[in-house]
Amino acid sequence: MSDVDARLPQERVLRSIRRILRIHLILLIGVICYFAKDLLMPLALGLLITMTLAPLVRRLARYHVPAPVSAVLLVITIGGCITSFGYMMSTPMAELFDSIPDIGQTLEQKISPYKQSVDAISKAGEQVEKMASGGDQPARVVLDQPGIISSAASTVANGLTTIMLAFVLSLFMLASGTLFQEKLIAVMPRLQDKKRALAVAYEVESSVSRYLLTVTLINVCLGIVIMGVMSLIGAPNPVLWGVMAAVLNFLPFAGALLGVGMLAIVSLGTYDTLPAALLPPALYYACTTLEGNFITPAIVGHRLQLNIVAVFTAVVVWGWLWGIGGALMAVPILLVVRILCDHIESWKVLGEFLSGRDATGIEAQGTEN
């Protein structure tokens, strides 16, 4: 037996061990992300905010504006806009909450014919279950659960805390200027590795910044369009629906459907006829469909496109790990992973799967030119 034949079983065993270790590493990362989400979510959001605003800080530095000054100005401006916007939306939200009892009463009157049939079927099922169990069932202990309002208030408080911590972290990172790039260069052993690491860092930062700023601008325009459409047809609270459309559109797949569902419920409880009630959600859905299938792909471009299966999987996984915040950050995180895959040889296969349909061909054409 030759030395090559003797090495083959050992290499197979080593490959199997590496594969098992990678699987365990992925599972360990998932467990850490799940149980440490209160710590990791602000860090991840802060990094995304930093990557989005860092090009603006460097551009202001060309006009001799120090990084700490520009960082403070940007963070205070964005935080002030968010606070002012939330205060401005408090009145429409209060009006919507005040109208919920009337909407619920109207919906109950409209579905009462169907509810009677459902109740009859439910009672028949309970009687069959009682007969099958042989008489009276033991009393069940029902534990008090927190109400919807208290749960929503707790969720909002946690979300505001996460956002505040993320902005504070991004403020310190932006104020440090090029400190991260300098540290990244310092830890690399060779000059080639230094250049490569710096190029990857700038590409990730540029791609994430361009993607988030572009998507934010598109969502704002979508909100303005939906607000105008709702105003034209006389829908209640058009400003509220425009804002909700802009915010929910950051959530892939489910955001548009969630907005359509909420608008449909309010419309059914507001309008008397079915055609009038279906018009607002139909127009809402038409606007979001046009934006998602034509406008955003055309503006964002193939370079930043991702595989729709990978996007859906990432939204589900990060939504399960971190809730609504994870679902909102899933696409930028996936974009960072895809860019890293383009520069790490062992990750090329994963990068090919994450890329959009035409991304590889366009990059190859750009390389040839």
Side-chain angles (χ1 to χ4, degrees):
M1 178 181 288
S2 62
D3 294 339
V4 176
D5 295 335
R7 291 197 198 98
L8 286 177
Q10 297 178 358
E11 293 179 355
R12 293 173 183 172
V13 172
L14 290 176
R15 283 198 296 268
S16 300
I17 293 175
R18 293 193 190 99
R19 191 178 300 112
I20 293 173
L21 290 176
R22 291 194 189 102
I23 294 174
H24 281 79
L25 179 61
I26 294 173
L27 294 176
L28 179 61
I29 292 174
V31 171
I32 293 174
C33 290
Y34 182 78
F35 288 101
K37 60 181 178 181
D38 293 336
L39 173 63
L40 296 179
M41 276 186 63
L43 296 178
L45 182 58
L47 289 174
L48 291 177
I49 295 174
T50 301
M51 287 187 286
T52 303
L53 300 180
L56 298 178
V57 173
R58 284 199 299 271
R59 185 169 298 180
L60 291 175
R62 298 175 185 174
Y63 298 96
H64 306 289
V65 179
V69 176
S70 58
V72 171
L73 290 177
L74 287 173
V75 171
I76 290 179
T77 300
I78 296 175
C81 290
I82 294 175
T83 304
S84 301
F85 199 68
Y87 178 77
M88 183 179 64
M89 294 307 301
S90 60
T91 301
M93 288 294 295
E95 294 177 357
L96 178 62
F97 280 114
D98 291 339
S99 63
I100 286 178
D102 297 333
I103 294 174
Q105 185 177 2
T106 305
L107 285 175
E108 186 176 358
Q109 293 175 355
K110 290 183 177 180
I111 66 175
S112 58
Y114 307 98
K115 185 179 179 182
Q116 293 176 359
S117 301
V118 174
D119 290 340
I121 297 173
S122 178
K123 290 180 180 179
E126 291 177 358
Q127 291 177 358
V128 172
E129 183 180 356
K130 185 177 181 180
M131 293 172 60
S133 61
D136 297 334
Q137 296 182 356
R140 297 179 181 178
V141 178
V142 179
L143 299 177
D144 291 335
Q145 298 292 333
I148 297 177
I149 297 179
S150 60
S151 299
S154 177
T155 302
V156 171
N158 292 333
L160 292 176
T161 302
T162 300
I163 293 174
M164 183 180 66
L165 292 176
F167 270 102
V168 172
L169 174 63
S170 64
L171 173 62
F172 287 121
M173 295 187 67
L174 291 171
S176 63
T178 59
L179 179 63
F180 175 75
Q181 288 82 356
E182 294 173 0
K183 297 296 183 181
L184 184 62
I185 294 175
V187 298
M188 292 297 169
R190 297 181 302 175
L191 179 61
Q192 183 179 0
D193 296 333
K194 297 177 186 293
K195 294 181 179 179
R196 184 179 180 182
L198 193 60
V200 172
Y202 279 124
E203 182 178 355
V204 170
E205 182 183 277
S206 175
S207 298
V208 172
S209 176
R210 185 165 63 252
Y211 173 81
L212 289 178
L213 290 176
T214 303
V215 169
T216 301
L217 181 61
I218 292 174
N219 291 346
V220 170
C221 294
L222 175 66
I224 294 174
V225 170
I226 290 181
M227 180 180 64
V229 171
M230 294 298 116
S231 299
L232 289 176
I233 64 175
N237 285 331
V239 177
L240 177 63
W241 295 115
V243 173
M244 291 184 65
V247 175
L248 291 175
N249 206 51
F250 282 100
L251 183 62
F253 305 108
L257 297 178
L258 185 60
V260 170
M262 290 189 296
L263 182 55
I265 293 174
V266 174
S267 297
L268 289 172
T270 303
Y271 294 96
D272 296 330
T273 62
L274 184 61
L278 293 179
L279 182 60
L283 292 176
Y284 186 107
Y285 182 74
C287 293
T288 55
T289 302
L290 179 64
E291 174 272 328
N293 293 316
F294 299 100
I295 297 177
T296 297
I299 295 178
V300 172
H302 297 287
R303 184 68 182 90
L304 297 180
Q305 280 189 2
L306 296 167
N307 188 345
I308 189 172
V309 178
V311 172
F312 180 79
T313 304
V315 171
V316 172
V317 172
W318 285 107
W320 173 67
L321 289 174
W322 289 353
I324 186 66
L328 291 173
M329 292 188 289
V331 177
I333 292 175
L334 188 65
L335 181 62
V336 173
V337 174
R338 194 191 74 79
I339 296 173
L340 293 177
C341 291
D342 293 338
H343 296 274
I344 300 176
E345 189 65 30
S346 59
W347 292 13
K348 290 288 186 180
V349 177
L350 178 60
E352 179 65 23
F353 172 75
L354 298 180
S355 300
R357 178 174 296 178
D358 299 328
T360 305
I362 291 176
E363 291 176 6
Q365 182 179 358
T367 305
E368 292 174 1
N369 294 337

mmCIF file of all heavy atoms in Angstrom, residues 209-253:
data_model
loop_
_atom_site.group_PDB
_atom_site.id
_atom_site.type_symbol
_atom_site.label_atom_id
_atom_site.label_comp_id
_atom_site.label_asym_id
_atom_site.label_seq_id
_atom_site.Cartn_x
_atom_site.Cartn_y
_atom_site.Cartn_z
ATOM 1 N N SER A 209 -24.358 50.849 3.487
ATOM 2 C CA SER A 209 -24.801 52.239 3.531
ATOM 3 C C SER A 209 -25.674 52.564 2.321
ATOM 4 O O SER A 209 -26.755 53.163 2.461
ATOM 5 C CB SER A 209 -23.591 53.172 3.569
ATOM 6 O OG SER A 209 -23.997 54.525 3.514
ATOM 7 N N ARG A 210 -25.217 52.155 1.134
ATOM 8 C CA ARG A 210 -25.994 52.438 -0.067
ATOM 9 C C ARG A 210 -27.337 51.720 -0.038
ATOM 10 O O ARG A 210 -28.369 52.289 -0.409
ATOM 11 C CB ARG A 210 -25.192 52.012 -1.305
ATOM 12 C CG ARG A 210 -25.865 52.379 -2.615
ATOM 13 C CD ARG A 210 -24.898 52.272 -3.780
ATOM 14 N NE ARG A 210 -24.434 50.910 -3.979
ATOM 15 C CZ ARG A 210 -23.215 50.474 -3.712
ATOM 16 N NH1 ARG A 210 -22.321 51.323 -3.182
ATOM 17 N NH2 ARG A 210 -22.861 49.236 -3.949
ATOM 18 N N TYR A 211 -27.338 50.484 0.436
ATOM 19 C CA TYR A 211 -28.588 49.717 0.478
ATOM 20 C C TYR A 211 -29.587 50.335 1.456
ATOM 21 O O TYR A 211 -30.751 50.563 1.110
ATOM 22 C CB TYR A 211 -28.283 48.270 0.863
ATOM 23 C CG TYR A 211 -29.531 47.432 1.089
ATOM 24 C CD1 TYR A 211 -30.212 46.887 0.013
ATOM 25 C CD2 TYR A 211 -30.022 47.213 2.375
ATOM 26 C CE1 TYR A 211 -31.360 46.136 0.210
ATOM 27 C CE2 TYR A 211 -31.170 46.460 2.576
ATOM 28 C CZ TYR A 211 -31.827 45.922 1.496
ATOM 29 O OH TYR A 211 -32.970 45.190 1.703
ATOM 30 N N LEU A 212 -29.142 50.603 2.687
ATOM 31 C CA LEU A 212 -30.062 51.108 3.704
ATOM 32 C C LEU A 212 -30.570 52.506 3.365
ATOM 33 O O LEU A 212 -31.764 52.803 3.539
ATOM 34 C CB LEU A 212 -29.380 51.103 5.071
ATOM 35 C CG LEU A 212 -29.135 49.721 5.686
ATOM 36 C CD1 LEU A 212 -28.409 49.843 7.016
ATOM 37 C CD2 LEU A 212 -30.446 48.982 5.877
ATOM 38 N N LEU A 213 -29.687 53.370 2.872
ATOM 39 C CA LEU A 213 -30.131 54.712 2.510
ATOM 40 C C LEU A 213 -31.104 54.670 1.337
ATOM 41 O O LEU A 213 -32.108 55.394 1.322
ATOM 42 C CB LEU A 213 -28.924 55.582 2.169
ATOM 43 C CG LEU A 213 -28.016 55.967 3.350
ATOM 44 C CD1 LEU A 213 -26.804 56.741 2.865
ATOM 45 C CD2 LEU A 213 -28.782 56.775 4.389
ATOM 46 N N THR A 214 -30.825 53.813 0.349
ATOM 47 C CA THR A 214 -31.713 53.706 -0.807
ATOM 48 C C THR A 214 -33.075 53.149 -0.407
ATOM 49 O O THR A 214 -34.120 53.675 -0.812
ATOM 50 C CB THR A 214 -31.075 52.809 -1.885
ATOM 51 O OG1 THR A 214 -29.797 53.331 -2.250
ATOM 52 C CG2 THR A 214 -31.949 52.742 -3.119
ATOM 53 N N VAL A 215 -33.071 52.072 0.387
ATOM 54 C CA VAL A 215 -34.332 51.472 0.813
ATOM 55 C C VAL A 215 -35.124 52.444 1.688
ATOM 56 O O VAL A 215 -36.358 52.521 1.586
ATOM 57 C CB VAL A 215 -34.068 50.145 1.543
ATOM 58 C CG1 VAL A 215 -35.320 49.630 2.224
ATOM 59 C CG2 VAL A 215 -33.550 49.097 0.565
ATOM 60 N N THR A 216 -34.433 53.197 2.540
ATOM 61 C CA THR A 216 -35.128 54.189 3.373
ATOM 62 C C THR A 216 -35.799 55.248 2.511
ATOM 63 O O THR A 216 -36.958 55.620 2.747
ATOM 64 C CB THR A 216 -34.141 54.841 4.345
ATOM 65 O OG1 THR A 216 -33.550 53.835 5.181
ATOM 66 C CG2 THR A 216 -34.843 55.868 5.214
ATOM 67 N N LEU A 217 -35.087 55.731 1.505
ATOM 68 C CA LEU A 217 -35.666 56.738 0.612
ATOM 69 C C LEU A 217 -36.860 56.167 -0.153
ATOM 70 O O LEU A 217 -37.896 56.839 -0.300
ATOM 71 C CB LEU A 217 -34.598 57.239 -0.361
ATOM 72 C CG LEU A 217 -35.040 58.316 -1.359
ATOM 73 C CD1 LEU A 217 -35.513 59.567 -0.614
ATOM 74 C CD2 LEU A 217 -33.897 58.668 -2.306
ATOM 75 N N ILE A 218 -36.745 54.931 -0.620
ATOM 76 C CA ILE A 218 -37.860 54.294 -1.340
ATOM 77 C C ILE A 218 -39.070 54.137 -0.424
ATOM 78 O O ILE A 218 -40.215 54.401 -0.823
ATOM 79 C CB ILE A 218 -37.409 52.934 -1.911
ATOM 80 C CG1 ILE A 218 -36.377 53.139 -3.023
ATOM 81 C CG2 ILE A 218 -38.600 52.143 -2.437
ATOM 82 C CD1 ILE A 218 -35.773 51.861 -3.531
ATOM 83 N N ASN A 219 -38.841 53.704 0.806
ATOM 84 C CA ASN A 219 -39.956 53.507 1.738
ATOM 85 C C ASN A 219 -40.626 54.831 2.094
ATOM 86 O O ASN A 219 -41.854 54.886 2.259
ATOM 87 C CB ASN A 219 -39.454 52.803 2.996
ATOM 88 C CG ASN A 219 -39.050 51.374 2.733
ATOM 89 O OD1 ASN A 219 -39.355 50.802 1.688
ATOM 90 N ND2 ASN A 219 -38.354 50.762 3.675
ATOM 91 N N VAL A 220 -39.841 55.885 2.240
ATOM 92 C CA VAL A 220 -40.430 57.196 2.507
ATOM 93 C C VAL A 220 -41.311 57.634 1.340
ATOM 94 O O VAL A 220 -42.439 58.131 1.529
ATOM 95 C CB VAL A 220 -39.325 58.230 2.791
ATOM 96 C CG1 VAL A 220 -39.896 59.644 2.832
ATOM 97 C CG2 VAL A 220 -38.630 57.922 4.113
ATOM 98 N N CYS A 221 -40.816 57.446 0.112
ATOM 99 C CA CYS A 221 -41.616 57.794 -1.066
ATOM 100 C C CYS A 221 -42.879 56.936 -1.151
ATOM 101 O O CYS A 221 -43.954 57.434 -1.513
ATOM 102 C CB CYS A 221 -40.775 57.626 -2.334
ATOM 103 S SG CYS A 221 -39.392 58.779 -2.464
ATOM 104 N N LEU A 222 -42.749 55.651 -0.810
ATOM 105 C CA LEU A 222 -43.928 54.782 -0.795
ATOM 106 C C LEU A 222 -44.950 55.265 0.218
ATOM 107 O O LEU A 222 -46.160 55.286 -0.070
ATOM 108 C CB LEU A 222 -43.505 53.348 -0.475
ATOM 109 C CG LEU A 222 -44.638 52.329 -0.304
ATOM 110 C CD1 LEU A 222 -45.376 52.124 -1.617
ATOM 111 C CD2 LEU A 222 -44.107 51.011 0.238
ATOM 112 N N GLY A 223 -44.492 55.663 1.402
ATOM 113 C CA GLY A 223 -45.409 56.182 2.405
ATOM 114 C C GLY A 223 -46.121 57.446 1.938
ATOM 115 O O GLY A 223 -47.324 57.616 2.168
ATOM 116 N N ILE A 224 -45.387 58.322 1.246
ATOM 117 C CA ILE A 224 -46.001 59.557 0.737
ATOM 118 C C ILE A 224 -47.055 59.227 -0.319
ATOM 119 O O ILE A 224 -48.153 59.818 -0.345
ATOM 120 C CB ILE A 224 -44.917 60.493 0.171
ATOM 121 C CG1 ILE A 224 -43.997 60.981 1.305
ATOM 122 C CG2 ILE A 224 -45.547 61.674 -0.547
ATOM 123 C CD1 ILE A 224 -42.813 61.784 0.818
ATOM 124 N N VAL A 225 -46.749 58.272 -1.200
ATOM 125 C CA VAL A 225 -47.702 57.887 -2.249
ATOM 126 C C VAL A 225 -48.962 57.284 -1.634
ATOM 127 O O VAL A 225 -50.092 57.644 -2.010
ATOM 128 C CB VAL A 225 -47.041 56.894 -3.233
ATOM 129 C CG1 VAL A 225 -48.081 56.294 -4.164
ATOM 130 C CG2 VAL A 225 -45.955 57.590 -4.030
ATOM 131 N N ILE A 226 -48.788 56.362 -0.680
ATOM 132 C CA ILE A 226 -49.959 55.740 -0.047
ATOM 133 C C ILE A 226 -50.763 56.769 0.742
ATOM 134 O O ILE A 226 -52.003 56.738 0.741
ATOM 135 C CB ILE A 226 -49.511 54.567 0.835
ATOM 136 C CG1 ILE A 226 -49.019 53.418 -0.050
ATOM 137 C CG2 ILE A 226 -50.634 54.093 1.748
ATOM 138 C CD1 ILE A 226 -48.563 52.203 0.703
ATOM 139 N N MET A 227 -50.078 57.700 1.382
ATOM 140 C CA MET A 227 -50.799 58.764 2.093
ATOM 141 C C MET A 227 -51.636 59.586 1.112
ATOM 142 O O MET A 227 -52.795 59.922 1.393
ATOM 143 C CB MET A 227 -49.814 59.659 2.834
ATOM 144 C CG MET A 227 -50.453 60.789 3.612
ATOM 145 S SD MET A 227 -49.231 61.819 4.461
ATOM 146 C CE MET A 227 -48.338 62.503 3.049
ATOM 147 N N GLY A 228 -51.056 59.902 -0.046
ATOM 148 C CA GLY A 228 -51.809 60.649 -1.048
ATOM 149 C C GLY A 228 -52.987 59.867 -1.607
ATOM 150 O O GLY A 228 -54.082 60.415 -1.795
ATOM 151 N N VAL A 229 -52.777 58.575 -1.853
ATOM 152 C CA VAL A 229 -53.863 57.738 -2.379
ATOM 153 C C VAL A 229 -54.989 57.627 -1.364
ATOM 154 O O VAL A 229 -56.181 57.738 -1.712
ATOM 155 C CB VAL A 229 -53.317 56.344 -2.751
ATOM 156 C CG1 VAL A 229 -54.460 55.388 -3.083
ATOM 157 C CG2 VAL A 229 -52.378 56.452 -3.937
ATOM 158 N N MET A 230 -54.642 57.405 -0.094
ATOM 159 C CA MET A 230 -55.673 57.303 0.934
ATOM 160 C C MET A 230 -56.424 58.629 1.101
ATOM 161 O O MET A 230 -57.633 58.641 1.381
ATOM 162 C CB MET A 230 -55.048 56.904 2.268
ATOM 163 C CG MET A 230 -54.434 55.514 2.300
ATOM 164 S SD MET A 230 -55.605 54.179 2.009
ATOM 165 C CE MET A 230 -54.956 53.508 0.476
ATOM 166 N N SER A 231 -55.739 59.735 0.916
ATOM 167 C CA SER A 231 -56.413 61.036 1.006
ATOM 168 C C SER A 231 -57.382 61.228 -0.155
ATOM 169 O O SER A 231 -58.483 61.771 0.026
ATOM 170 C CB SER A 231 -55.374 62.166 1.009
ATOM 171 O OG SER A 231 -54.510 62.068 2.121
ATOM 172 N N LEU A 232 -56.992 60.792 -1.349
ATOM 173 C CA LEU A 232 -57.844 60.964 -2.520
ATOM 174 C C LEU A 232 -59.142 60.175 -2.409
ATOM 175 O O LEU A 232 -60.205 60.643 -2.838
ATOM 176 C CB LEU A 232 -57.092 60.549 -3.787
ATOM 177 C CG LEU A 232 -55.964 61.488 -4.239
ATOM 178 C CD1 LEU A 232 -55.247 60.909 -5.454
ATOM 179 C CD2 LEU A 232 -56.513 62.871 -4.566
ATOM 180 N N ILE A 233 -59.085 58.972 -1.832
ATOM 181 C CA ILE A 233 -60.297 58.158 -1.729
ATOM 182 C C ILE A 233 -61.057 58.415 -0.429
ATOM 183 O O ILE A 233 -62.085 57.776 -0.177
ATOM 184 C CB ILE A 233 -59.956 56.659 -1.841
ATOM 185 C CG1 ILE A 233 -59.081 56.205 -0.664
ATOM 186 C CG2 ILE A 233 -59.298 56.352 -3.162
ATOM 187 C CD1 ILE A 233 -58.815 54.716 -0.659
ATOM 188 N N GLY A 234 -60.547 59.324 0.406
ATOM 189 C CA GLY A 234 -61.244 59.680 1.629
ATOM 190 C C GLY A 234 -61.116 58.668 2.750
ATOM 191 O O GLY A 234 -61.998 58.588 3.616
ATOM 192 N N ALA A 235 -60.026 57.889 2.796
ATOM 193 C CA ALA A 235 -59.826 56.908 3.864
ATOM 194 C C ALA A 235 -59.483 57.637 5.165
ATOM 195 O O ALA A 235 -58.854 58.702 5.154
ATOM 196 C CB ALA A 235 -58.706 55.938 3.496
ATOM 197 N N PRO A 236 -59.873 57.078 6.293
ATOM 198 C CA PRO A 236 -59.563 57.732 7.580
ATOM 199 C C PRO A 236 -58.073 57.628 7.906
ATOM 200 O O PRO A 236 -57.421 56.628 7.588
ATOM 201 C CB PRO A 236 -60.403 56.937 8.591
ATOM 202 C CG PRO A 236 -60.620 55.602 7.950
ATOM 203 C CD PRO A 236 -60.684 55.858 6.483
ATOM 204 N N ASN A 237 -57.539 58.678 8.529
ATOM 205 C CA ASN A 237 -56.133 58.714 8.966
ATOM 206 C C ASN A 237 -55.152 58.385 7.834
ATOM 207 O O ASN A 237 -54.382 57.438 7.913
ATOM 208 C CB ASN A 237 -55.897 57.749 10.124
ATOM 209 C CG ASN A 237 -56.447 58.264 11.432
ATOM 210 O OD1 ASN A 237 -56.517 59.466 11.653
ATOM 211 N ND2 ASN A 237 -56.850 57.363 12.305
ATOM 212 N N PRO A 238 -55.163 59.139 6.744
ATOM 213 C CA PRO A 238 -54.243 58.832 5.637
ATOM 214 C C PRO A 238 -52.774 58.982 6.023
ATOM 215 O O PRO A 238 -51.924 58.227 5.537
ATOM 216 C CB PRO A 238 -54.639 59.834 4.547
ATOM 217 C CG PRO A 238 -55.310 60.954 5.282
ATOM 218 C CD PRO A 238 -55.994 60.334 6.449
ATOM 219 N N VAL A 239 -52.471 59.952 6.902
ATOM 220 C CA VAL A 239 -51.082 60.134 7.331
ATOM 221 C C VAL A 239 -50.590 58.903 8.090
ATOM 222 O O VAL A 239 -49.461 58.424 7.894
ATOM 223 C CB VAL A 239 -50.950 61.402 8.199
ATOM 224 C CG1 VAL A 239 -49.529 61.557 8.706
ATOM 225 C CG2 VAL A 239 -51.366 62.629 7.402
ATOM 226 N N LEU A 240 -51.447 58.355 8.944
ATOM 227 C CA LEU A 240 -51.081 57.174 9.717
ATOM 228 C C LEU A 240 -50.777 55.990 8.809
ATOM 229 O O LEU A 240 -49.790 55.280 9.010
ATOM 230 C CB LEU A 240 -52.203 56.824 10.688
ATOM 231 C CG LEU A 240 -52.000 55.559 11.532
ATOM 232 C CD1 LEU A 240 -50.788 55.712 12.436
ATOM 233 C CD2 LEU A 240 -53.251 55.267 12.353
ATOM 234 N N TRP A 241 -51.593 55.775 7.781
ATOM 235 C CA TRP A 241 -51.363 54.643 6.885
ATOM 236 C C TRP A 241 -50.121 54.851 6.028
ATOM 237 O O TRP A 241 -49.424 53.891 5.708
ATOM 238 C CB TRP A 241 -52.589 54.415 6.011
ATOM 239 C CG TRP A 241 -53.781 54.003 6.806
ATOM 240 C CD1 TRP A 241 -54.950 54.703 6.963
ATOM 241 C CD2 TRP A 241 -53.917 52.821 7.597
ATOM 242 N NE1 TRP A 241 -55.798 54.028 7.800
ATOM 243 C CE2 TRP A 241 -55.190 52.863 8.201
ATOM 244 C CE3 TRP A 241 -53.083 51.740 7.858
ATOM 245 C CZ2 TRP A 241 -55.654 51.859 9.039
ATOM 246 C CZ3 TRP A 241 -53.541 50.735 8.703
ATOM 247 C CH2 TRP A 241 -54.808 50.795 9.275
ATOM 248 N N GLY A 242 -49.827 56.096 5.678
ATOM 249 C CA GLY A 242 -48.589 56.348 4.952
ATOM 250 C C GLY A 242 -47.361 56.058 5.791
ATOM 251 O O GLY A 242 -46.400 55.439 5.319
ATOM 252 N N VAL A 243 -47.397 56.465 7.055
ATOM 253 C CA VAL A 243 -46.273 56.198 7.951
ATOM 254 C C VAL A 243 -46.130 54.702 8.205
ATOM 255 O O VAL A 243 -45.015 54.151 8.185
ATOM 256 C CB VAL A 243 -46.463 56.962 9.275
ATOM 257 C CG1 VAL A 243 -45.391 56.568 10.287
ATOM 258 C CG2 VAL A 243 -46.412 58.457 9.036
ATOM 259 N N MET A 244 -47.244 54.026 8.450
ATOM 260 C CA MET A 244 -47.188 52.584 8.680
ATOM 261 C C MET A 244 -46.661 51.846 7.459
ATOM 262 O O MET A 244 -45.910 50.872 7.578
ATOM 263 C CB MET A 244 -48.578 52.068 9.075
ATOM 264 C CG MET A 244 -49.039 52.527 10.442
ATOM 265 S SD MET A 244 -50.623 51.815 10.933
ATOM 266 C CE MET A 244 -50.181 50.092 11.033
ATOM 267 N N ALA A 245 -47.038 52.288 6.274
ATOM 268 C CA ALA A 245 -46.528 51.664 5.054
ATOM 269 C C ALA A 245 -45.021 51.829 4.935
ATOM 270 O O ALA A 245 -44.305 50.887 4.568
ATOM 271 C CB ALA A 245 -47.222 52.261 3.828
ATOM 272 N N ALA A 246 -44.520 53.026 5.248
ATOM 273 C CA ALA A 246 -43.077 53.264 5.171
ATOM 274 C C ALA A 246 -42.312 52.426 6.181
ATOM 275 O O ALA A 246 -41.240 51.886 5.867
ATOM 276 C CB ALA A 246 -42.790 54.750 5.388
ATOM 277 N N VAL A 247 -42.857 52.285 7.392
ATOM 278 C CA VAL A 247 -42.168 51.519 8.434
ATOM 279 C C VAL A 247 -42.263 50.021 8.162
ATOM 280 O O VAL A 247 -41.273 49.289 8.227
ATOM 281 C CB VAL A 247 -42.739 51.867 9.819
ATOM 282 C CG1 VAL A 247 -42.122 50.978 10.889
ATOM 283 C CG2 VAL A 247 -42.472 53.330 10.144
ATOM 284 N N LEU A 248 -43.464 49.542 7.846
ATOM 285 C CA LEU A 248 -43.655 48.108 7.640
ATOM 286 C C LEU A 248 -42.938 47.601 6.401
ATOM 287 O O LEU A 248 -42.634 46.408 6.314
ATOM 288 C CB LEU A 248 -45.154 47.791 7.527
ATOM 289 C CG LEU A 248 -45.977 47.951 8.801
ATOM 290 C CD1 LEU A 248 -47.453 47.733 8.513
ATOM 291 C CD2 LEU A 248 -45.495 46.981 9.875
ATOM 292 N N ASN A 249 -42.655 48.482 5.453
ATOM 293 C CA ASN A 249 -41.997 48.036 4.229
ATOM 294 C C ASN A 249 -40.541 47.639 4.457
ATOM 295 O O ASN A 249 -39.923 47.024 3.581
ATOM 296 C CB ASN A 249 -42.067 49.128 3.150
ATOM 297 C CG ASN A 249 -41.999 48.557 1.758
ATOM 298 O OD1 ASN A 249 -42.734 47.637 1.413
ATOM 299 N ND2 ASN A 249 -41.107 49.094 0.939
ATOM 300 N N PHE A 250 -39.983 48.001 5.621
ATOM 301 C CA PHE A 250 -38.645 47.514 5.955
ATOM 302 C C PHE A 250 -38.661 46.019 6.263
ATOM 303 O O PHE A 250 -37.604 45.384 6.247
ATOM 304 C CB PHE A 250 -38.096 48.268 7.171
ATOM 305 C CG PHE A 250 -37.581 49.633 6.858
ATOM 306 C CD1 PHE A 250 -38.353 50.757 7.103
ATOM 307 C CD2 PHE A 250 -36.315 49.811 6.321
ATOM 308 C CE1 PHE A 250 -37.878 52.019 6.817
ATOM 309 C CE2 PHE A 250 -35.829 51.074 6.034
ATOM 310 C CZ PHE A 250 -36.614 52.179 6.277
ATOM 311 N N LEU A 251 -39.835 45.472 6.555
ATOM 312 C CA LEU A 251 -39.968 44.057 6.876
ATOM 313 C C LEU A 251 -40.294 43.299 5.603
ATOM 314 O O LEU A 251 -41.387 43.437 5.057
ATOM 315 C CB LEU A 251 -41.070 43.841 7.920
ATOM 316 C CG LEU A 251 -41.295 42.419 8.410
ATOM 317 C CD1 LEU A 251 -40.042 41.889 9.100
ATOM 318 C CD2 LEU A 251 -42.477 42.358 9.353
ATOM 319 N N PRO A 252 -39.363 42.498 5.078
ATOM 320 C CA PRO A 252 -39.630 41.796 3.815
ATOM 321 C C PRO A 252 -40.784 40.818 3.948
ATOM 322 O O PRO A 252 -41.010 40.222 4.998
ATOM 323 C CB PRO A 252 -38.304 41.061 3.529
ATOM 324 C CG PRO A 252 -37.272 41.764 4.350
ATOM 325 C CD PRO A 252 -38.002 42.259 5.565
ATOM 326 N N PHE A 253 -41.515 40.667 2.833
ATOM 327 C CA PHE A 253 -42.604 39.701 2.704
ATOM 328 C C PHE A 253 -43.791 40.046 3.608
ATOM 329 O O PHE A 253 -44.879 40.319 3.118
ATOM 330 C CB PHE A 253 -42.120 38.271 3.007
ATOM 331 C CG PHE A 253 -40.952 37.836 2.182
ATOM 332 C CD1 PHE A 253 -39.691 37.702 2.750
ATOM 333 C CD2 PHE A 253 -41.105 37.576 0.836
ATOM 334 C CE1 PHE A 253 -38.611 37.314 1.987
ATOM 335 C CE2 PHE A 253 -40.028 37.189 0.051
ATOM 336 C CZ PHE A 253 -38.780 37.060 0.621
#
